[in-house]
Structures are given as structure tokens and as C-alpha cells.
Amino acid sequence: MVSNRAKNKHVALIVEDDLNLAEALGDLLKSLGHDFIHAETQEEGLRLMEEGQFCFAILDLQIKVDADAIYPMVEAGAQLQRQIRDRYPNRNDNDQHHLQILAMSGHAKEMFNVIGMLQNGADDFILKPLGENNPPLHVKIQECLQKSGRENHADCAHIMELARGKPSRSNSRPVAPKRKTERSDISLTIPGQIEGKRTEVAINGVSQHLPDAQLLLLMRMVAGRAQDDSGWVHKQDLGSRDADGFKGMSNLNSSLKPLLPGGMSFYENDKMGSYRIKPEIIIGEIDHTQLALHSQREIRQLSAIIQKMRLAA
């Protein structure tokens, strides 16, 4: 299924083996004034990726490897996602990928799958069924074009060239130094001792017990740091459903600020909806054995994911 593409329209690469869902996505894109090309398998998606005649990608994780395959597999979608990101790895001055990937899964509510998507280079994720997305899918598409600087399709050919290949000084941000070489006298640790519905964290050895909601937010931010030294995580991935501010971040900051020198803030905000732990705060020891006993499943999952990512670093 390929639309009749016009030269003045954004083109999405859709990789989805459910033809009804692909058709629904195509109708949505056409309603936004965009076009699309469609692949059903990893093999076909890889071929279209090599041609590079698209402005952003919508990729289902559970697809067939090739036309002869009987069953769709998550591994096929994850591998294609990595292949696209390896081909188009570069970021712009706002630390956003020049080529945005929206990964789609019916299992995206599970934090393990969300983190896996982000680790493999996705910029956002789409829930199935499509009506469950918040913000709605059309907003996610508009945001991905804005973040990649593609508001005007006339710029897309140039941006696609910037997206391609290995980062260079002329078209990507400097690579942050490895965390091992950083020096700081601010250390965040998570001893993980549980008292009721509060769990111990510490800054420079001074403890504070956070309620579950704040600990979950902190763990999501730590996962963002473990995934990428830049540490930026969009507020939607942090659990915010607020179109404006993010009250959860303010509450977490209020709990941790008294432990920080000079009453400094715990986080930074890029004014575009993403947050990170301040770079001068080092993530120290996390007691994953204690957190494995936590009553909140997502906290247990995040602890295991962070442990794996840090061991692999």
C-alpha cells in the first residue's frame, strides 16, 4: 500500500503488518496533509529505509521478518528500529533526532517495552489501539516534525542528509564525556530501605524517604540517565498528562531540594517538555536487591532495567 506522493508533502514510513491498522494510519496521515509509504515486513522496511525517501517513521515492533514468515515477532521490529537509527543517528542543536521514529506496540504500557524502544533509538511511542494515546496520535506526529525541524517539507531533504551517517562536528552536538571522568561532590544514591509506602534515597549520605509516586518519577529519570549521558526524558515518558506544567516534578524537587547544597534545584527543564537530573549530580549506588522487594511492579521493573543498562555501559 503506497499513497500517491506529492513532492510538497511530508512522507511517513509506516511499517505495520496489520493492513487494517496501516490503512487507518494512512487515513490519519492524509487528513493531516501528509503522504506515506508502507511496508509489511522487516525486509521490506529495510529496503525502504535504504532509499530514505521519508520524513519520519512509524514502526510497529511486532512484525514479520519477511514475506515467507508465518508469525510476527517483536525481535524483527526491534532490529529494524536499530537498523534505522544506526543509519540515521544524528541529532540537531536541540538534542532531538533529525529523523524521528515513533515506535508502536500494544505492549507499550509495560515500562520494559517503553525503555527498550527508547534504548533502540525511538523518540516516542504509540499505543495500540490508536485511540488510547494521550496526547492523541496526530499531536505526536506534529510534535515529532517540530522537534526534528521539519515544519516545512522543503527543509526535509537537507535535514535527511544531516540525519545520515556518523555524527560530525558540523551537524551534531558534542558528545558528552563519559560519566566516569566527571567530578562532583553531589552524589545521589538509592539505598532502597522501605518504610510503609516510602522508600529511602540519599544525597551525599543524607537520607530522605520518598512516597511511591515520587520514587517512580525519580527511577524514570535515573533510567533516562542510564540510557544516555544527556539524561533528557520527555514529561510524557515521565508520566505527565498535563499539557502545561508538570506538578510531579515540582513535588519531587521539593522533597530533594533540602538535601542539595545551596538549595539548588534537582532537575533541569529544556522548556520543550523534557527534564533531566542536573548533570553535576552523579548517580551512585542503587540497592537493586532492596528495590526488587518493592510493592510497585513498575519500580521493580525499572530497577532491573537500570541495573542491566549500567552493567552494559
Side-chain angles (χ1 to χ4, degrees):
M1 178 176 62
V2 180
S3 70
N4 294 319
R5 286 178 278 161
K7 291 183 178 180
N8 61 343
K9 292 183 178 182
H10 289 300
V11 180
L13 169 63
I14 300 175
V15 186
E16 169 59 68
D17 63 350
D18 183 330
L19 295 183
N20 289 329
L21 183 55
E23 191 169 306
L25 285 168
D27 287 344
L28 173 62
L29 289 165
K30 287 187 286 186
S31 76
L32 297 174
H34 306 328
D35 280 321
F36 62 91
I37 51 177
H38 173 232
E40 295 185 40
T41 66
Q42 178 189 356
E43 180 181 66
E44 189 179 4
L46 184 60
R47 177 180 60 79
L48 292 172
M49 181 270 291
E50 292 290 345
E51 296 175 3
Q53 297 178 1
F54 54 93
C55 309
F56 62 100
I58 298 176
L59 170 62
D60 187 12
L61 288 186
Q62 195 161 340
I63 56 175
K64 295 179 180 179
V65 173
D66 54 35
D68 295 327
I70 299 175
Y71 299 109
M73 299 186 298
V74 170
E75 291 79 3
Q79 177 64 12
L80 179 58
Q81 183 179 307
R82 285 190 291 269
Q83 290 169 324
I84 294 174
R85 183 53 69 217
D86 287 345
R87 179 66 179 269
Y88 301 102
N90 289 350
R91 295 173 180 265
N92 58 27
D93 289 339
N94 292 320
D95 203 26
Q96 302 290 341
H97 284 114
H98 287 296
L99 176 70
Q100 298 272 301
I101 299 174
L102 306 181
M104 182 165 54
S105 173
H107 306 285
K109 287 183 178 178
E110 296 294 332
M111 182 54 62
F112 181 86
N113 290 286
V114 173
I115 293 291
M117 293 177 195
L118 297 175
Q119 277 187 290
N120 288 334
D123 299 281
D124 204 343
F125 64 92
I126 299 171
L127 289 169
K128 292 194 295 185
L130 301 181
E132 291 191 5
N133 287 277
N134 185 14
L137 179 52
H138 74 273
V139 174
K140 288 178 180 279
I141 291 170
Q142 291 166 345
E143 286 181 346
C144 91
L145 290 169
Q146 181 182 21
K147 287 189 291 186
S148 58
R150 295 173 182 263
E151 292 95 333
N152 187 341
H153 179 60
D155 299 326
C156 284
H158 174 63
I159 292 173
M160 203 63 166
E161 287 302 314
L162 296 179
R164 192 188 305 269
K166 294 183 179 180
S168 68
R169 291 185 180 182
S170 62
N171 62 20
S172 64
R173 302 184 72 177
V175 176
K178 292 295 184 180
R179 193 151 304 279
K180 290 180 180 178
T181 66
E182 293 180 355
R183 294 185 178 181
S184 174
D185 58 357
I186 307 173
S187 175
L188 167 70
T189 57
I190 306 180
Q193 293 293 330
I194 301 169
E195 293 184 1
K197 292 189 175 182
R198 291 177 175 266
T199 305
E200 183 186 11
V201 302
I203 294 178
N204 289 349
V206 182
S207 294
Q208 173 69 285
H209 284 75
L210 298 180
D212 288 349
Q214 291 185 20
L215 177 65
L216 177 57
L217 175 54
L218 176 62
M219 294 290 286
R220 287 170 173 166
M221 294 187 75
V222 171
R225 171 75 72 81
Q227 175 194 335
D228 183 341
D229 274 348
S230 72
W232 290 109
V233 186
H234 195 272
K235 66 181 182 180
Q236 293 167 9
D237 299 323
L238 292 171
S240 173
R241 295 296 177 261
D242 191 339
D244 298 314
F246 187 8
K247 187 176 180 180
M249 188 63 69
S250 298
N251 292 338
L252 176 59
N253 192 52
S254 295
S255 294
L256 296 179
K257 197 169 184 179
L259 308 183
L260 290 162
M264 65 178 283
S265 178
F266 167 71
Y267 70 92
E268 291 181 344
N269 178 1
D270 70 351
K271 309 302 182 184
M272 297 177 64
S274 292
Y275 297 79
R276 69 175 177 181
I277 299 170
K278 281 200 167 182
E280 55 264 43
I281 299 176
I282 300 300
I283 310 300
E285 184 177 351
I286 300 174
D287 193 330
H288 296 288
T289 303
Q290 285 291 329
L291 292 176
L293 304 175
H294 203 281
S295 61
Q296 296 291 314
R297 182 180 67 172
E298 191 171 335
I299 290 174
R300 297 195 304 269
Q301 290 176 332
L302 280 167
S303 174
I305 292 165
I306 291 167
Q307 185 177 30
K308 289 179 181 179
M309 287 193 289
R310 295 181 80 179
L311 287 173

